[in-house]
Amino acid sequence: MEKLSGLSHLFMTIFLHNISSFMVSPAITDVTMAALCPGKDECSLAIYLTGFQQAIIGLGTLVMMPLVGNLSDKYGRKALLSVPMGLAIIPLATLAYSRSKYFFYAYYVLRTLTAMVCEGSVHCLALAYVADSVPEGLRASAFGILSGIGSSAFVCGTLSTRFLSTASTFQVSASVAIVALVYMRVFLQDSIVDGNLSTPILSSGKRKVDAIGNSSKKVQIFKTMPSLEDMLCLLKSSVTLSRAAVVAFFINLSEHGLNSSLMYYLKARFHFNKNQFADLMVISGIAGTISQLLLMPILAPALGEARLLSIGLFFTCAHTFLYSIAWSFWVPYAAAMLSILFVFSQPCMRTIVSKQVGTSEQGKAQGCISGIGSFANVVSPLVFSPLTALFLSESAPFHFPGFSIMCAGLASMIALIQSTMIRVAPPISNERTSNGNYVDA
């Protein structure tokens, strides 16, 4: 437990950053609708603009996540954390000043540009930081606690939104984001990253090129950007990693599909507003926090990450399908309670990935998986935004307002089926990493 207590400043940093991010989640749908379609509960323009923004952000993070992870292996997690945490303040400050139509469009552009770097970067770097600091046997519990910290921030952020006006929500959110950045810079100690450690998954031929006298700064910076071949080599190094990548894609496809559709669906179907969204998120967050902080540290050692991953995905399917067929306003609240079991999937998947690579490659591996999630974020709006807009409109081919959410549930079912095929290979030890001898699972 000493190792986990040493992560207290990281946990506080993530807690503050996530509070700032999650505070705006219940309010942003109302702000978007008020700016684009005042007085309406259904707005195709808002759905399409949100989907377009997701796709552009996904394209950016698809490139940036592996790069950020790889840079953090070389220059440290703390240095890289400063970039997304600083950029995230800018769009929040814009809506804190005004939520009129033109300021909303300014926010939309700024949010799109900054999120191409920020979206997922803080979580990815936090995972790599934990993997640097915690032995392999404790990582499942540590990742579960990190996710639990995120869930508790989710509860605190969304609960505070419930009692704040829309204007105050964005002002407080921007202030907390600034406090998170300052706290991180002052108190967080960088994890130990040895820049001399090699990355054996990459081909030795490419490594030798840098040693033959062409080791200029330009070449080194260029080599920091992992190529597609590098990422494929990483995934092919283990069957377990390859299957985890497939699971990661469909988990994220399902989550992004649900998140992009759910609030517009609930607003059109049951006339939900900021307060109801906040209530729903608080229920989900409390259930997830209890699960990740109390249940996962007990269940992960007893059942193993692979089995717990499948359990989490089974309840993800049930949770999503229940939303899609909601027949009364109370059904979404019942579906949110299933968070107590479906939140296992992400930390379990990340734990499986972390155990397949060595110490010097944690940032690269987590960045690769985050990049796959970003690719899912590109695909998701292309599929789910048109479906959501169509089935919430009067021109739907048949009456099923939750059809797009049902499709998101099918994506999580594919992830569930794939997860049952994962057989966790023995962890990659530091000695094996430095020698470059990988054993296929």
Side-chain angles (χ1 to χ4, degrees):
M1 298 305 291
E2 262 181 54
K3 291 284 187 181
L4 297 182
S5 64
L7 297 172
S8 57
H9 290 311
L10 174 70
F11 290 155
M12 179 57 72
T13 297
I14 298 303
F15 181 75
L16 292 172
H17 174 77
N18 285 352
I19 281 181
S20 171
S21 300
F22 292 136
M23 280 184 72
V24 303
S25 297
I28 195 62
T29 301
D30 283 352
V31 170
T32 304
M33 297 285 287
L36 301 178
C37 303
K40 295 183 179 179
D41 283 335
E42 189 276 320
C43 181
S44 295
L45 176 60
I47 295 171
Y48 279 115
L49 277 180
T50 302
F52 176 76
Q53 184 182 57
Q54 276 193 334
I56 297 299
I57 292 172
L59 283 172
T61 55
L62 178 61
V63 175
M64 293 304 300
M65 284 301 97
L67 177 59
V68 167
N70 209 27
L71 283 169
S72 74
D73 284 337
K74 295 176 181 293
Y75 303 113
R77 318 300 180 199
K78 181 176 179 177
L80 270 294
L81 272 171
S82 303
V83 178
M85 291 183 69
L87 289 176
I89 298 169
I90 301 172
L92 293 174
T94 303
L95 284 188
Y97 183 78
S98 175
R99 285 144 312 285
S100 64
K101 181 177 180 179
Y102 295 109
F103 276 92
F104 170 78
Y105 279 118
Y107 161 83
Y108 182 87
V109 173
L110 290 170
R111 161 70 180 158
T112 303
L113 293 175
T114 57
M116 291 170 72
V117 178
C118 304
E119 192 86 2
S121 295
V122 174
H123 185 61
C124 172
L125 293 169
L127 289 165
Y129 190 105
V130 170
D132 293 339
S133 309
V134 176
E136 290 166 348
L138 293 175
R139 280 185 198 162
S141 297
F143 286 170
I145 291 172
L146 182 64
S147 294
I149 295 295
S151 295
S152 61
F154 182 81
V155 172
C156 293
T158 52
L159 186 61
S160 62
T161 305
R162 183 69 174 80
F163 301 102
L164 291 171
S165 66
T166 301
S168 300
T169 295
F170 288 94
Q171 292 164 1
V172 174
S173 176
S175 301
V176 174
I178 294 170
V179 171
L181 176 61
V182 172
Y183 182 92
M184 186 272 295
R185 293 302 305 171
V186 173
F187 294 105
L188 185 67
Q189 298 296 316
D190 211 342
S191 58
I192 298 172
V193 178
D194 188 351
N196 296 320
L197 288 174
S198 62
T199 50
I201 285 177
L202 303 183
S203 62
S204 58
K206 290 186 177 182
R207 290 284 171 191
K208 291 177 182 176
V209 171
D210 290 336
I212 301 177
N214 291 328
S215 57
S216 66
K217 290 183 179 179
K218 289 184 179 179
V219 172
Q220 290 175 1
I221 293 172
F222 177 76
K223 291 298 290 178
T224 300
M225 177 63 192
S227 67
L228 180 60
E229 182 183 352
D230 295 338
M231 306 315 292
L232 290 174
C233 286
L234 175 66
L235 295 178
K236 288 179 180 177
S237 66
S238 164
V239 174
T240 301
L241 264 179
S242 301
R243 287 177 177 162
V246 175
V247 171
F249 174 79
F250 283 104
I251 287 177
N252 283 280
L253 184 66
S254 174
E255 286 184 357
H256 290 309
L258 177 63
N259 292 337
S260 63
S261 305
L262 183 60
M263 288 202 232
Y264 292 111
Y265 163 73
L266 293 176
K267 193 167 189 66
R269 186 95 168 84
F270 303 114
H271 310 292
F272 274 32
N273 60 27
K274 174 179 76 75
N275 291 339
Q276 281 78 53
F277 292 143
D279 293 339
L280 198 65
M281 292 176 182
V282 167
I283 292 171
S284 179
I286 290 174
T289 302
I290 292 171
S291 177
Q292 289 165 326
L293 293 180
L294 300 179
L295 295 182
M296 190 168 175
I298 298 171
L299 295 177
L303 300 177
E305 295 87 9
R307 193 171 300 171
L308 203 55
L309 171 63
S310 297
I311 292 172
L313 286 170
F314 173 81
F315 283 97
T316 299
C317 296
H319 159 84
T320 309
F321 288 139
L322 191 55
Y323 272 130
S324 71
I325 60 172
W327 58 91
S328 180
F329 73 94
W330 61 265
V331 178
Y333 295 101
M337 287 297 296
L338 291 178
S339 295
I340 200 165
L341 293 170
F342 79 71
V343 292
F344 294 143
S345 53
Q346 284 284 4
C348 285
M349 181 192 64
R350 295 289 190 161
T351 303
I352 291 169
V353 169
S354 77
K355 290 184 177 181
Q356 303 308 305
V357 297
T359 305
S360 65
E361 295 174 324
Q362 291 297 327
K364 188 191 306 297
Q366 298 297 345
C368 177
I369 295 299
S370 294
I372 290 169
S374 299
F375 179 62
N377 202 11
V378 176
V379 176
S380 176
L382 300 178
V383 176
F384 294 108
S385 292
L387 283 175
T388 303
L390 177 62
F391 280 89
L392 290 181
S393 70
E394 295 179 356
S395 57
F398 51 89
H399 181 70
F400 192 170
F403 183 76
S404 61
I405 297 176
M406 176 72 76
C407 293
L410 294 175
S412 64
M413 185 176 291
I414 295 173
L416 170 61
I417 294 169
Q418 186 66 27
S419 73
T420 61
M421 303 176 189
I422 291 180
R423 299 293 179 269
V424 180
I428 301 294
S429 68
N430 293 340
E431 293 176 3
R432 286 167 63 192
T433 300
S434 59
N435 292 333
N437 298 322
Y438 281 78
V439 180
D440 195 14

